[in-house]
Amino acid sequence: MKTILTGIKPTGRAHLGNYVGAIKPAIALSEQEGVKSLYFIADYHALNAVQDPKLMKTYTYEMAATWIALGLDPDRSILYRQSDIPEITELSHILSCITPKSFMNKSHAYKSAVDKNLAAKVDVNAGVNMGLYAYPILMAADILLFGTDTVPVGRDQIQHVEMARDIAENFNRKFGETLTLPTYQVSEGTLVLPGLDGRKMSKSYNNTIAIFEEPTSLLKLIKKIKTDSKTPEDPKDPNDSTLFALFREFASEEEIKELGKRFQTGVGYGEVKQSVFQVVERRLQPAREIYLELLHNTEKIDKILQDGAIEARKIAASKLAEVKRKIGM
Ligand code: ADP
Ligand code: TRP
């Protein structure tokens, strides 16, 4: 049995880029045979940035509801909230005591905060809290506590998984074979989905389409996607089109081929936008109903997360006991 695990930060409403690049491939992985999958809401990681208790609660529910609505099956996978597993923060402290400070300076979450400060000519430590600095240690604890073999992540998280591996090796060298060395998995095929303005769709660029946008506003946003000034008769390159990139993620092979041909022979962007809306809506409409239903009955989400925490803590407690034995506690 192979263990896969990934964390999702509750920092805002998930968008179509998150769906295509992270949620869809991670759910597909959990459906494979011979795989034990763990998914968690990384609320302690979000705490670096989200320090409004109401928002923290809302984002946590929204993120859990998003994953469940899109097909994460709590009977097949373990879904939990990071802060419900105290063993994680306990292991995090143990790992921090064997990790040199100099090792943490290279973490890019921290480095990019420092670079921003340097560029803005303000104090290098401005806005940097200890949670951000130690972020990769907490992430290593998330991963190592569950004997994780594979961590599906976006490209930006590769370094953190490599650091978890280094920390595990360091622990094993000191105290004997205890922690499984994890590897990352980046889904090669998935593209970076462009946003409304053609840049990468990202919360940081304010160019996103939320996954569970209401149909009228979904259509409005799709109509806003930037296109060039070609006329309907002009041949167009489907590989150079944000609209086509979006269409491809939601349409069938047949539909992709068909629209691809029409890009070459002639089609107006207004019509393409309607087609994009139809395929996106077709996929997301049933999920949206489940999502809204869950958000109106948050006790259902609580129950799923609590059941998940019970399962997760069984694994966590046994690994933590082994770690503590090894260090003489
Ligand atoms: P954001 O850039 O909106 O803050 P995150 O950094 O929280 O998004 O990303 C969460 C996950 O979604 C990561 O695994 C990331 O690789 C993936 N992701 C984010 N934006 C896109 C995109 N435009 N296309 C594909 N995957 C994306
Ligand atoms: N750092 C990840 C992100 O920003 C979230 C995360 C926290 C995570 N702990 C994890 C991902 C453990 C994979 C495994 O997206």
Side-chain angles (χ1 to χ4, degrees):
M1 202 69 166
K2 189 171 119 174
T3 299
I4 65 162
L5 169 146
T6 199
I8 311 109
K9 268 194 303 185
T11 47
R13 287 169 84 199
H15 55 73
L16 293 180
N18 299 142
Y19 173 64
V20 165
I23 303 176
K24 199 164 101 172
I27 291 177
L29 263 182
S30 75
E31 286 165 351
Q32 287 177 354
E33 288 306 318
V35 161
K36 171 156 75 191
S37 49
L38 297 108
Y39 295 93
F40 67 96
I41 312 294
D43 50 356
Y44 274 141
H45 277 102
L47 186 59
N48 289 318
V50 181
Q51 302 191 344
D52 170 331
K54 258 209 188 119
L55 268 187
M56 180 66 90
K57 250 205 164 55
T58 305
Y59 288 163
T60 299
Y61 279 138
E62 284 181 352
M63 208 47 98
T66 298
W67 281 74
I68 300 165
L70 289 171
L72 183 90
D73 179 357
D75 292 329
R76 262 190 94 99
S77 310
I78 306 181
L79 178 66
Y80 56 97
R81 182 171 23 208
Q82 185 182 30
S83 61
D84 286 338
I85 319 292
E87 289 82 2
I88 295 174
T89 38
E90 214 175 325
L91 179 62
S92 179
H93 178 76
I94 296 170
L95 298 177
S96 76
C97 292
I98 61 155
T99 305
K101 176 170 178 287
S102 59
F103 181 77
M104 300 310 297
N105 291 333
K106 69 173 186 186
S107 153
H108 66 56
Y110 166 70
K111 257 176 47 184
S112 84
V114 167
D115 289 346
K116 257 191 212 148
N117 286 339
L118 286 173
K121 295 196 165 55
V122 294
D123 186 279
V124 282
N125 290 317
V128 178
N129 56 44
M130 287 306 293
L132 177 67
Y133 189 62
Y135 190 102
I137 298 184
L138 181 59
M139 184 154 158
D142 291 331
I143 296 170
L144 303 176
L145 190 55
F146 295 92
T148 306
D149 300 293
T150 307
V151 187
V153 281
R155 266 176 209 294
D156 58 316
Q157 295 299 315
I158 292 177
Q159 186 203 33
H160 290 153
V161 181
E162 285 174 336
M163 287 174 85
R165 193 183 169 88
D166 290 344
I167 291 172
E169 272 179 332
N170 194 16
F171 185 97
N172 291 348
R173 219 179 298 115
K174 259 191 157 68
F175 299 106
E177 260 342 284
T178 314
L179 301 171
T180 305
L181 306 187
T183 49
Y184 60 81
Q185 179 172 328
V186 178
S187 29
E188 284 304 332
T190 56
L191 84 174
V192 172
L193 194 73
L196 298 178
D197 56 359
R199 292 190 291 174
K200 175 195 165 197
M201 186 180 289
S202 168
K203 282 181 288 261
S204 332
Y205 296 148
N206 230 338
N207 63 353
T208 64
I209 300 178
I211 297 176
F212 295 121
E213 211 72 66
E214 288 298 324
T216 36
S217 114
L218 176 64
L219 181 59
K220 230 193 234 160
L221 285 169
I222 289 174
K223 284 186 175 164
K224 269 197 196 158
I225 293 176
K226 221 174 87 185
T227 52
D228 55 30
S229 53
K230 290 203 171 86
T231 66
E233 294 72 35
D234 291 336
K236 307 170 186 69
D237 180 2
N239 295 320
D240 186 29
S241 161
T242 301
L243 286 171
F244 197 78
L246 197 51
F247 185 81
R248 180 177 267 153
E249 291 299 323
F250 291 88
S252 67
E253 286 301 323
E254 197 63 25
E255 291 165 333
I256 297 170
K257 244 195 239 149
E258 177 69 28
L259 188 66
K261 256 195 234 140
R262 295 205 50 213
F263 258 68
Q264 270 131 29
T265 55
V267 65
Y269 285 127
E271 190 190 330
V272 176
K273 286 178 173 178
Q274 283 294 342
S275 305
V276 171
F277 170 71
Q278 274 160 16
V279 292
V280 174
E281 178 62 11
R282 179 179 67 195
R283 166 70 183 96
L284 294 181
Q285 188 266 334
R288 188 192 300 123
E289 277 175 23
I290 303 173
Y291 175 78
L292 293 175
E293 207 264 329
L294 282 167
L295 286 183
H296 283 118
N297 298 283
T298 48
E299 67 284 354
K300 280 194 187 163
I301 304 177
D302 286 329
K303 174 85 171 79
I304 290 171
L305 294 177
Q306 280 156 12
D307 289 350
I310 293 172
E311 285 310 302
R313 286 194 74 185
K314 286 184 197 157
I315 308 171
S318 120
K319 184 52 95 182
L320 183 66
E322 188 188 348
V323 166
K324 287 176 81 171
R325 233 184 1 261
K326 292 282 175 70
I327 58 179
M329 286 177 179

